[in-house]
Amino acid sequence: MSDIVTWVNVGPLSNIPQQGARTFQTEIDRIAIFRTLDDQIYALLDRCPHKDGPLAQGIVHGRFVTCPLHNMVFSLETGEAQGTDDGCAARVDVRVVNDTVHIGLNAQQTGLRHAG
C-alpha cells in the first residue's frame, strides 16, 4: 500500500507464530500479518479477492499463503495469485524495529478524514 500516514506498533515479533499469522483491525480493514519459518514478516489485507476468505487462517508455506476457502495461493511478498489463478491480495507495508512489528496505515485505515 502507499500513502502511509502513520506506523502502528502491533506488538512483539514473538506474538506471531512461525508459519502463522495474526490480525489487526483498522478503521476499515482487517490486516493479516504473517511470519515465515525464517522470521520474515509480511502483511496483506485479510481477504482473498476471490471469496473474501480470511487469509490469516490459511497455510503459510515458504513466502506464500494458501487461502483456507479454496486453496488459492498468494505471494506474501507481492500479494499476487500464483499459477493459473487471477487476483491480488492487497499488500500492506510492514517493518520490524527492535523485535517489534509495525504496520504502515493510510488515512482511511486510521480513521482520519480530510476536509473538502
Side-chain angles (χ1 to χ4, degrees), residues 1-6 93 104-109:
M1 294 195 122
S2 60
D3 302 321
I4 293 173
V5 296
T6 190
D93 290 313
L105 301 182
N106 64 35
Q108 284 185 308
Q109 291 168 324

Side-chain angles (χ1 to χ4, degrees), residues 4 37 72 74 88 102 112:
I4 293 173
L37 189 59
M72 198 169 180
F74 296 92
C88 185
H102 297 84
L112 298 177

Side-chain angles (χ1 to χ4, degrees), residues 54-99:
L55 293 177
Q57 295 177 25
I59 297 171
V60 176
H61 47 101
R63 300 235 181 328
F64 302 94
V65 62
T66 299
C67 177
L69 294 186
H70 61 289
N71 295 325
M72 198 169 180
V73 177
F74 296 92
S75 166
L76 293 173
E77 295 173 311
T78 66
E80 292 289 328
Q82 303 300 291
T84 58
D85 290 322
D86 289 327
C88 185
R91 194 180 65 75
V92 176
D93 290 313
V94 63
R95 67 184 184 189
V96 178
V97 178
N98 297 324
D99 289 325

Side-chain angles (χ1 to χ4, degrees), residues 25-71:
Q25 184 66 49
T26 73
E27 185 77 17
I28 61 168
D29 294 314
R30 189 174 62 242
I31 296 172
I33 305 162
F34 301 92
R35 182 178 176 189
T36 64
L37 189 59
D38 62 352
D39 293 327
Q40 297 300 305
I41 299 294
Y42 300 95
L44 302 172
L45 290 187
D46 190 29
R47 63 177 178 264
C48 171
H50 181 238
K51 290 189 176 182
D52 288 334
L55 293 177
Q57 295 177 25
I59 297 171
V60 176
H61 47 101
R63 300 235 181 328
F64 302 94
V65 62
T66 299
C67 177
L69 294 186
H70 61 289
N71 295 325

